Amino acid sequence: RKEVEQDPGPFNVPEGATVAFNCTYSNSASQSFFWYRQDCRKEPKLLMSVYSSGNEDGRFTAQLNRASQYISLLIRDSKLSDSATYLCVVNLVYGGSQGNLIFGKGTKLSVKP
Amino acid sequence: EPEVTQTPSHQVTQMGQEVILRCVPISNHLYFYWYRQILGQKVEFLVSFYNNEISEKSEIFDDQFSVERPDGSNFTLKIRSTKLEDSAMYFCASSVARTGRFSEQFFGPGTRLTVL
């Protein structure tokens, strides 16, 4: 069973659209949750952490449902510059673990004019 | 803004050769990581390093791989005898504390390794 599973995409949306990405994770020991963004052939960059109560950062809203092991990201009023691959990432921390990131394969978003 | 740097940006090598990938983590960070991403696939954890020793490693990180922090700034990944399937983008990352909600891992720009 895949550890972090995401919508396969790609999502092709017009500017100004609202788009939602979903993610499920298999390990209930996962303790921290993140959305990263990755531009083509670049490194992953943290978009936002995901808190249990849900959190918002400008046009971006993240939700976490621990019972369902489900994470979501909502992007409102999408911009051309939002075009990227969005990576759902969980962090397993146990015992002496330093907390290694487990990545989903990512969902590609393409925002068109 | 401080950043993780990696050299070289692209390394081409022949199968069976040794390669060393170099990283300079952010200066006050204490935890260091290597990840790899095969083209078109997900980012995969290789190894974490803290207090001058390996903290954890994945099953990918076999005897062909080693890491070292030879001085106060560099963090290296060595592949002893490269295979074709080692071709990937290798990312170094660092964090100030154990990764969690309040301690982000910062990624370097990556080294693209091509094994011929």
Side-chain angles (χ1 to χ4, degrees):
Chain A
R1 186 178 172 188
K2 293 180 186 175
E3 291 180 296
V4 178
E5 206 158 346
Q6 297 186 238
D7 284 342
F11 283 42
N12 298 305
V13 303
E15 265 186 297
T18 295
V19 60
F21 302 137
N22 303 314
C23 167
T24 56
Y25 60 94
S26 60
N27 194 323
S28 58
S30 303
Q31 292 196 5
S32 304
F33 309 88
F34 310 92
W35 284 100
Y36 275 72
R37 116 174 226 157
Q38 186 174 31
D39 293 287
C40 189
R41 294 179 177 262
K42 300 283 190 183
E43 73 273 25
K45 290 189 177 177
L46 181 67
L47 180 66
M48 58 196 302
S49 299
V50 186
Y51 304 146
S52 296
S53 54
N55 49 299
E56 189 173 306
D57 182 2
R59 299 182 292 109
F60 300 87
T61 301
Q63 299 274 354
L64 168 65
N65 184 323
R66 283 186 184 268
S68 305
Q69 296 180 194
Y70 172 90
I71 308 163
S72 66
L73 175 69
L74 185 77
I75 305 176
R76 288 182 301 280
D77 188 24
S78 51
K79 312 288 185 196
L80 296 176
S81 56
D82 293 335
S83 297
T85 297
Y86 289 82
L87 309 176
C88 178
V89 185
V90 304
N91 180 25
L92 297 177
V93 180
Y94 50 90
S97 164
Q98 300 310 322
N100 308 312
L101 301 180
I102 310 296
F103 286 78
K105 200 172 174 184
T107 302
K108 188 171 179 181
L109 172 65
S110 182
V111 182
K112 307 291 187 186
Chain B
E1 186 179 322
E3 57 185 20
V4 177
T5 59
Q6 290 186 242
T7 55
S9 56
H10 191 189
Q11 173 98 43
V12 181
T13 189
Q14 295 289 326
M15 192 168 57
Q17 294 297 303
E18 174 183 286
V19 293
I20 297 176
L21 310 183
R22 292 185 167 80
C23 168
V24 179
I26 294 172
S27 62
N28 65 331
H29 285 189
L30 301 176
Y31 296 76
F32 314 113
Y33 313 83
W34 283 101
Y35 294 83
R36 80 170 186 191
Q37 186 175 31
I38 294 170
L39 188 64
Q41 299 190 23
K42 64 181 180 180
V43 177
E44 299 175 289
F45 166 73
L46 292 178
V47 65
S48 58
F49 192 87
Y50 169 69
N51 202 24
N52 279 321
E53 59 183 23
I54 290 175
S55 306
E56 279 183 83
K57 55 186 181 179
S58 71
E59 55 193 31
I60 302 169
F61 193 89
D62 61 23
D63 292 344
Q64 293 300 312
F65 291 88
S66 61
V67 289
E68 195 177 32
R69 188 156 161 81
D71 54 43
S73 59
N74 290 285
F75 179 50
T76 62
L77 174 70
K78 183 193 290 187
I79 309 175
R80 266 180 268 283
S81 177
T82 49
K83 309 186 205 47
L84 294 176
E85 55 264 37
D86 293 328
S87 294
M89 182 75 95
Y90 288 80
F91 293 109
C92 173
S94 68
S95 60
V96 65
R98 200 168 83 163
T99 301
R101 277 170 45 177
F102 306 110
S103 179
E104 174 188 350
Q105 285 189 25
F106 290 83
F107 283 75
T111 292
R112 179 164 299 283
L113 176 66
T114 302
V115 182
L116 303 176

